[in-house]
Amino acid sequence: EFMVMPVGAKSFSEGLRWVTEIFHTLKRLLKKAGHVTSVGDEGGFAPDLTNDEALEFVMKAVKAAGYQPGTQIGIALDC
């Protein structure tokens, strides 16, 4: 599982807003590409993608939502 972390947010509420905006942007991008957008028990998407493809979608969503990867948003793995 890939997760976004709002590392540049100054407050919990700001971080929550950022992640919510990225989540909805990711859903829109996945749907536009013809992928499944239903979510599992923990709220994550599970389209049939390779790891590289999944990371590309996450990065596109971060940028499309208006955030800077690496400074405002980090990527985490749930192993």
Side-chain angles (χ1 to χ4, degrees):
E1 295 177 359
F2 300 101
M3 299 172 285
V4 293
M5 301 180 340
V7 295
K10 295 180 181 167
S11 66
F12 177 82
S13 59
E14 183 178 49
L16 181 60
R17 180 175 54 83
W18 290 6
V19 171
T20 301
E21 291 171 356
I22 293 166
F23 176 89
H24 289 289
T25 301
L26 178 58
K27 182 175 183 176
R28 181 176 45 82
L29 292 173
L30 289 170
K31 190 171 188 172
K32 184 177 178 181
H35 296 289
V36 175
T37 57
S38 56
V39 294
D41 292 341
E42 296 177 353
F45 300 112
D48 186 21
L49 299 171
T50 66
N51 288 337
D52 287 342
E53 291 170 332
L55 283 170
E56 286 179 30
F57 268 101
V58 171
M59 294 301 287
K60 285 180 189 176
V62 169
K63 292 175 185 175
Y67 299 102
Q68 297 176 358
T71 47
Q72 292 178 301
I73 302 294
I75 304 295
L77 297 174
D78 185 9
C79 300

